[in-house]
Amino acid sequence: MRVNGWSDIGYNFLINSVTGLLYEGRGWNVLGAHCAGHNTEAIGVCIIGKDQAGKQDVSDAARRAFK
C-alpha cells in the first residue's frame, strides 16, 4: 500500500486460494477501489495465492467460498 500510495485495501473481500478462508477488506458497504470507474454496481473479490500458468491452484474450498 505504501509503495503504490494506496490508503487501504481496494477489494471488498479476499479469499485464501488454498484454505478458502474469507477475509473482509472494505466489506459490503464501502465502494471498492479495485476497478476505477467501474465499481459502483459490483464488489471486488481477490483470490490470494500463486497464479501459475497451466496449473489449477485454486482449491475447491476457495471456490465454495467465492460462491
Side-chain angles (χ1 to χ4, degrees), residues 22-61:
L22 181 64
Y23 301 95
E24 184 173 352
R26 293 186 172 206
W28 292 108
N29 299 319
V30 177
L31 186 64
H34 55 280
C35 188
H38 301 282
N39 53 356
T40 58
E41 297 178 11
I43 62 167
V45 179
C46 176
I47 304 289
I48 304 168
K50 297 178 181 177
D51 185 17
Q52 300 175 359
K55 182 177 180 188
Q56 177 61 281
D57 54 357
V58 176
S59 70
D60 289 338

Side-chain angles (χ1 to χ4, degrees), residues 5-36:
W6 300 335
S7 61
D8 197 357
I9 192 156
Y11 294 95
N12 300 93
F13 298 95
L14 301 95
I15 302 171
N16 181 300
S17 67
V18 176
T19 65
L21 277 171
L22 181 64
Y23 301 95
E24 184 173 352
R26 293 186 172 206
W28 292 108
N29 299 319
V30 177
L31 186 64
H34 55 280
C35 188

